[in-house]
């Protein structure tokens, strides 16, 4: 009886697949599919969808953040390179910066993560997202 059971995609993943197939030239459905694949435990496929979304619309940061989350949470190789590239492409986007720092931490590049957060704090002093990230890491948020 157990052998006859087949599991399909979770409903949110099935819906995201349908949207992505219906709108193949839109970055948002590709990003949503990447996020659903990430949540479903399919990191390689998630990265492929985030890459597709970035190819369609490279100026949006949401697919970048999604990919960095995949690298950080699944411990995939290439996290350090992806984080460095993301920091270079989106140096003023606090959400990208924090996701890149998390990916660097996951890759064992803690000194690089700390340095990137220090640089971001100097560029965007007082930013709430960066402040929270600094506090979580035990870093100073004093504005001198």
């Amino acid at each position: 009886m157990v052998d006859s059971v087949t599991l399909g995609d979770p409903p949110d993943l099935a819906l995201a697949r349908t949207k992505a197939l219906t709108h193949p030239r839109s970055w948002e459905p590709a990003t949503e599919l990447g996020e659903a694949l990430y949540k479903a435990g399919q990191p390689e496929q998630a990265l492929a969808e985030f890459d597709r979304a970035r190819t369609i619309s490279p100026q949006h940061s949401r697919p970048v953040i999604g990919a960095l989350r995949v690298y950080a949470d699944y411990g995939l190789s290439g996290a350090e390179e992806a984080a460095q590239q993301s920091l270079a492409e989106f140096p003023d986007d606090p959400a990208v910066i924090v996701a890149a720092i998390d990916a660097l931490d996951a890759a064992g590049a803690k000194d690089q993560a700390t340095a990137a957060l220090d640089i971001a704090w100097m560029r965007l002093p007082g930013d709430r997202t960066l402040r929270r990230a600094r506090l979580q890491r035990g870093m100073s948020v004093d504005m001198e």
Side-chain angles (χ1 to χ4, degrees):
M1 177 134 104
V2 172
D3 291 336
S4 66
V5 174
T6 58
L7 299 176
D9 287 340
D12 62 330
L13 179 54
L15 178 61
R17 281 191 201 281
T18 301
K19 283 177 151 177
L21 288 170
T22 305
H23 304 285
R25 294 182 299 224
S26 178
W27 72 273
E28 289 174 297
T31 301
E32 289 172 13
L33 179 53
E35 291 167 349
L37 288 162
Y38 159 78
K39 291 175 186 173
Q42 300 177 33
E44 298 295 337
Q45 296 90 336
L47 285 177
E49 286 303 313
F50 289 130
D51 285 342
R52 187 168 75 83
R54 291 193 66 203
T55 299
I56 295 167
S57 187
Q59 73 273 17
H60 288 96
S61 63
R62 192 169 141 211
V64 173
I65 295 165
L68 290 168
R69 192 177 318 132
V70 171
Y71 280 112
D73 292 348
Y74 285 98
L76 301 178
S77 64
E80 191 172 339
E81 297 80 17
Q84 293 296 342
Q85 180 180 351
S86 300
L87 288 168
E89 289 178 22
F90 296 92
D92 296 324
D93 186 321
V96 171
I97 294 164
V98 170
I101 290 164
D102 290 343
L104 287 168
D105 278 342
K110 305 243 183 250
D111 290 341
Q112 284 184 46
T114 300
L117 191 50
D118 281 339
I119 291 167
W121 188 245
M122 287 186 279
R123 289 178 69 104
L124 305 166
D127 179 86
R128 288 185 289 175
T129 301
L130 297 178
R131 183 179 196 281
R132 188 175 327 113
R134 290 180 68 82
L135 289 172
Q136 288 172 341
R137 289 167 175 77
M139 299 171 73
S140 171
V141 293
D142 292 334
M143 305 295 291
E144 297 176 13

